[in-house]
Amino acid sequence: MREQFQAVSGAGSTVNSSDPQATLTAFKQLASDVGTQFSSITNEEIAPSAQKASGALNDYAAYLETVVADPSKASGLSDQISTLQASFTEAATACAG
């Protein structure tokens, strides 16, 4: 699970504004990978936070897809990033507990 957190953290720094389609593809793959990994978590204290984080990442990937199709919709980017960061922070906190 720690590897997935690092992958998500690093993904933000690999955003290539000159190639939004490549960025979208990378985030969709990451969301798929995280979803697969996090869906196998059975620990009752960690699973809900992990599933919430996975859902937030899927939402973010879907949002990016919308922005790639229509860049005028990028105004909500900071809210999307905040939600994503908060959900992964919550999951990381649950793991550390």
Side-chain angles (χ1 to χ4, degrees), residues 1 38-42 46-58 91:
M1 188 166 175
F38 285 15
S39 67
S40 66
I41 295 171
T42 57
I46 297 172
S49 296
Q51 290 167 2
K52 182 178 175 183
S54 178
L57 184 57
N58 283 322

Side-chain angles (χ1 to χ4, degrees), residues 6-97:
Q6 290 171 344
V8 171
S9 296
S13 63
T14 61
V15 171
N16 183 349
S17 59
S18 65
D19 191 353
Q21 190 61 48
T23 299
L24 174 60
T25 300
F27 266 101
K28 287 173 85 171
Q29 182 61 53
L30 182 60
S32 175
D33 293 347
V34 168
T36 299
Q37 291 291 325
F38 285 15
S39 67
S40 66
I41 295 171
T42 57
N43 182 306
E44 293 178 10
E45 294 176 14
I46 297 172
S49 296
Q51 290 167 2
K52 182 178 175 183
S54 178
L57 184 57
N58 283 322
D59 291 348
Y60 184 71
Y63 173 76
L64 285 179
E65 193 165 24
T66 301
V67 171
V68 167
D70 183 359
S72 71
K73 297 187 177 184
S75 63
L77 182 61
S78 63
D79 289 341
Q80 289 288 330
I81 291 171
S82 293
T83 299
L84 182 61
Q85 288 173 335
S87 67
F88 271 82
T89 298
E90 180 181 322
T93 301
C95 288

